[in-house]
Amino acid sequence: MAKARIVYSCQSCGYQSPKWLGKCPDCNQWNSLVEERQERVSHPRGELSLGSKEDPSPIHEIDTEAEGRALTGIGEFDRVLGGGLVAGSVILIGGDPGIGKSTLLLQAFAAISQQGLTCLYVSGEESQRQIKMRAERLDIAAPNLLILSETSLERILDQVKRTKPAVLVIDSIQTIFTSSLPSAPGSIAQVRESSGSIIVLAKKTGLTTFLIGHVTKDGAIAGPRVLEHMVDTVLYFEGDRGHSFRILRAVKNRFGSTNEIGVFEMKEAGLKEVSNPSEIFLMERPLQVPGSAVVCSMEGTRPILVELQALVSRSFLAVPRRTTIGVDHNRVALLVAVLEKKMGAKLFDQDIFVNVAGGVQVDEPAVDLGIIAAVASSHKEKVLDPKTVFFGEVGLAGEIRGISQAEARVKEAGKLGFDRCILPASNISQLTHVKHPQLTGVNSLAECWKLLF
Ligand code: TYD
Ligand code: MG
């Protein structure tokens, strides 16, 4: 009889080693290797492969008709998916506990099942009654929505074959286990094996599948990189618990653009779409206060205006604080250095806090000018014109560099009633036809300063 082999697998990245190691050589995680018994997998490998016995075909002869997209009926969700659901695609949704993953999918499934498609919601975390209670709260009535509370992979696969749903969700993949492996549910081997079997089933039968994944402390999906490679689409559902806004972000999408976001608001009766996010993010903006600047960040194809707030105050620490929420910490440190060197601002003994209002994350260089303007405004105690929007990337020499999609940003600013945009001079030439808002091009920080202070 073949002896079972013992391997040590990294629970973070899936690296395998024949002996135990304190640190994974692949992902550098400490103490992540766990002993696993590797037994012969009960199903022959052939069954696991996607391959049909087809010969290679010329690309123009391959039929794509089957790849038509079904809409979920939730506009923001469809947008993030790249325009609806592709049959046979596998979508991984990650997010912190309690952020609203189960709620989002239950609502989406209710909407899909209204179109007459059978949906199967498999929960390994909640009982049927708990899900029913949630559905009642969300005021969902959907006859084609089947609920199954199950954690065994084999039984789930059986039920899928029996009920033949068009869409399936597994909530969450970390709770599912297969009896063909001795390791515990949630371990990397179990997650890989269960999701592998589900993905093969999805591809073979054209079943659209959502996998919900837990997120670890540092933000990656637990059990994970492995999973991110296997699926077609990876979405993150993020947001601050303190805020009611939730953002669904695509980080990988084989069938659409990434960086596309969908904005939702968590209300008493579930998630509501927010189709005009800029308006909402700017709603509570204080107008005549130093340290507040409005910037425009492109999220996929959509421009979103957000308020950046900065607070500069005398520091009593040996090393002054630089705290940022919603923008990259290093980027702010770099911009503060440019501000000191080029504009002579004395910030070495000042604490600097930068925050993006509304719990949004902006990670585009186009917001650089806005960050600098907000920091300088707070430092100088001078209010910026509340009807002005800033865009532009700032270089280390204090130059303002051109940005992409300037027109879309300018239009959004005009739509929301802003009178003026301060933007890179190099972008002006493409925008000569724009009459409103007024466009002011700047080449350097010094030029911008003349306008502002
Ligand atoms: P849930 O979908 O269970 O989160 P996840 O599956 O990501 O862990 O969301 C739970 C949170 O959402 C919970 O804190 C309560 C809140 N919530 C509402 O505010 N309104 C609602 O209608 C529902 C169903 C949940
Ligand atoms: Mg849940």
Side-chain angles (χ1 to χ4, degrees):
M1 206 175 88
K3 227 166 68 180
R5 198 163 70 102
I6 300 284
V7 292
Y8 294 86
S9 323
C10 170
Q11 299 299 300
S12 158
C13 70
Y15 175 85
Q16 293 193 330
S17 153
K19 60 182 198 317
W20 190 81
L21 300 167
K23 183 182 178 184
C24 170
D26 203 15
C27 67
N28 293 332
Q29 188 87 13
W30 286 95
N31 202 17
S32 63
L33 269 69
V34 167
E35 178 180 316
E36 274 171 9
R37 197 178 253 279
Q38 220 176 35
E39 272 165 274
R40 279 182 59 87
V41 193
S42 54
H43 44 73
R45 278 289 165 207
E47 210 176 283
L48 262 186
S49 88
L50 264 186
S52 40
K53 296 184 184 62
E54 288 165 8
D55 294 325
S57 338
I59 191 162
H60 61 273
E61 283 175 16
I62 299 171
D63 185 19
T64 54
E65 222 140 82
E67 307 282 324
R69 288 174 186 257
L71 293 181
T72 60
I74 298 183
E76 294 288 296
F77 199 21
D78 287 333
R79 172 208 296 282
V80 179
L81 290 170
L85 301 168
V86 175
S89 63
V90 181
I91 302 135
L92 176 65
I93 299 193
D96 290 333
I99 204 79
K101 302 178 293 297
S102 309
T103 309
L104 176 69
L105 281 166
L106 195 59
Q107 283 184 264
F109 269 41
I112 299 169
S113 71
Q114 305 261 312
Q115 305 166 20
L117 298 173
T118 308
C119 302
L120 179 60
Y121 187 109
V122 179
S123 180
E125 296 181 347
E126 289 165 290
S127 70
Q128 285 179 326
R129 286 192 47 212
Q130 280 170 318
I131 299 170
K132 169 77 184 178
M133 272 156 61
R134 186 199 297 260
E136 273 170 3
R137 222 179 124 180
L138 299 171
D139 204 9
I140 285 174
N144 293 322
L145 176 55
L146 307 174
I147 307 288
L148 175 68
S149 186
E150 183 58 83
T151 53
S152 151
L153 176 72
E154 287 74 19
R155 284 204 288 269
I156 293 171
L157 295 180
D158 273 353
Q159 290 297 345
V160 171
K161 280 179 193 140
R162 206 174 61 78
T163 52
K164 299 206 173 40
V167 207
L168 168 75
V169 63
I170 307 283
D171 183 5
S172 64
I173 189 68
Q174 275 89 6
T175 56
I176 306 302
F177 71 95
T178 161
S179 48
S180 66
L181 289 179
S183 34
S187 68
I188 191 111
Q190 285 285 4
V191 170
R192 195 171 34 202
E193 187 67 26
S194 322
S195 35
S197 308
I198 294 169
I199 291 168
V200 170
L201 179 77
K203 299 281 166 197
K204 279 193 168 164
T205 58
L207 166 69
T208 308
T209 306
F210 288 91
L211 304 175
I212 294 184
H214 286 294
V215 163
T216 54
K217 280 199 293 299
D218 47 5
I221 296 178
R225 302 266 163 69
V226 191
L227 266 184
E228 296 197 0
H229 290 301
M230 290 160 74
V231 300
D232 298 309
T233 303
V234 180
L235 308 178
Y236 274 87
F237 201 36
E238 351 171 290
D240 221 25
R241 285 269 202 111
H243 289 97
S244 58
F245 296 114
R246 301 283 183 265
I247 292 176
L248 186 66
R249 191 185 292 277
V251 291
K252 163 181 173 181
N253 195 349
R254 286 189 184 145
F255 307 112
S257 115
T258 54
N259 340 328
E260 202 64 81
I261 66 164
V263 184
F264 296 88
E265 192 178 1
M266 182 62 96
K267 290 247 178 88
E268 284 291 289
L271 291 158
K272 290 270 168 314
E273 290 178 68
V274 175
S275 39
N276 51 350
S278 305
E279 218 165 277
I280 303 256
F281 291 142
L282 295 178
M283 210 152 55
E284 289 168 303
R285 181 166 63 112
L287 293 181
Q288 296 296 333
V289 184
S292 157
V294 177
V295 297
C296 184
S297 167
M298 289 302 292
E299 300 290 348
T301 53
R302 181 159 59 168
I304 292 188
L305 294 176
V306 288
E307 184 202 356
L308 269 176
Q309 293 189 320
L311 183 71
V312 178
S313 71
R314 174 79 217 283
S315 178
F316 296 96
L317 302 170
V319 181
R321 260 196 274 194
R322 303 281 185 259
T323 305
T324 66
I325 301 174
V327 279
D328 181 36
H329 184 264
N330 290 327
R331 192 85 204 159
V332 172
L334 184 149
L335 294 170
V336 167
V338 174
L339 191 57
E340 287 202 285
K341 181 84 181 173
K342 296 291 161 190
M343 303 317 303
K346 300 235 170 339
L347 299 167
F348 61 88
D349 59 351
Q350 305 284 324
D351 285 333
I352 300 178
F353 305 91
V354 177
N355 179 32
V356 183
V360 200
Q361 286 274 344
V362 287
D363 54 0
E364 240 199 330
V367 302
D368 288 357
L369 190 57
I371 296 177
I372 290 206
V375 170
S377 154
S378 174
H379 182 50
K380 289 172 175 273
E381 289 287 333
K382 289 224 173 106
V383 179
L384 298 170
D385 173 23
K387 294 259 175 215
T388 299
V389 182
F390 296 86
F391 355 109
E393 177 177 349
V394 178
L396 290 185
E399 81 280 19
I400 314 280
R401 295 164 174 248
I403 49 162
S404 61
Q405 307 188 54
E407 185 164 356
R409 298 179 207 247
V410 166
K411 277 195 179 147
E412 178 77 3
K415 210 162 73 188
L416 284 150
F418 286 86
D419 295 336
R420 187 191 201 185
C421 295
I422 297 187
L423 71 167
S426 58
N427 283 116
I428 292 275
S429 59
Q430 315 141 14
L431 297 168
T432 45
H433 56 285
V434 177
K435 297 283 171 295
H436 179 88
Q438 181 200 342
L439 303 181
T440 312
V442 286
N443 282 304
S444 64
L445 269 189
E447 263 178 50
C448 186
W449 248 231
K450 284 200 205 111
L451 297 169
L452 298 179
F453 304 111

